[in-house]
Amino acid sequence: ARQGCANSLGVGAELRAVGKASASLDSFVLEASNMPNSAILYFQGTGVVNGGNGSPFGDGLRCVAGSILRLGTRFNSSGTSIYPGPGDLPISVRGGIGSFGAVSRYYQGWYRNSSTFCTTATFNLTNALEVFWIP
């Protein structure tokens, strides 16, 4: 369903890509929704876990692996947030995309969900995205 595992709101958090994933004309933005009003860490990886099927982690599945880079932390408002925001480097710069040319990277969000829900963990994850960057 292009969502993470269900959270305490009864839905899975959704991560979407908006804009152009181009190292030279970067308008790429990550948008996450369907989360509690809490902190979320956006991160990038060079591979996937278990062929993209993920492995249990907190109340969700961690799907992104390889060389992991923390892009930044945001606070959700009305259950949503975006990265990058005003004053942040573009993802192509923060993620070091420009030096590689055409390349795939994987993105996921790790957010706080302090209400007891599926397990005793206090966090969950969004779905993961594969993004093909062009020069």
Side-chain angles (χ1 to χ4, degrees), residues 21 23 97-105 131-135:
I97 303 300
S99 60
F100 295 104
V103 64
S104 286
R105 290 292 181 263
V131 176
F132 184 74
W133 286 86
I134 59 173

Side-chain angles (χ1 to χ4, degrees), residues 22-42:
S22 166
S24 59
L25 299 168
D26 185 358
S27 63
F28 184 69
V29 174
L30 295 168
E31 293 183 351
S33 60
N34 299 333
M35 299 170 289
N37 289 335
S38 62
I40 177 173
L41 169 68
Y42 290 91

Side-chain angles (χ1 to χ4, degrees), residues 33-103:
S33 60
N34 299 333
M35 299 170 289
N37 289 335
S38 62
I40 177 173
L41 169 68
Y42 290 91
F43 62 100
Q44 169 188 285
T46 57
V48 294
V49 175
N50 192 23
N53 294 315
S55 64
F57 187 59
D59 283 341
L61 296 173
R62 188 178 73 118
C63 299
V64 174
S67 294
I68 300 292
L69 175 67
R70 295 177 182 194
L71 296 171
T73 302
R74 291 288 171 268
F75 291 94
N76 299 319
S77 177
S78 299
T80 65
S81 62
I82 63 168
Y83 185 87
D88 292 325
L89 292 172
I91 293 175
S92 62
V93 175
R94 178 74 181 108
I97 303 300
S99 60
F100 295 104
V103 64

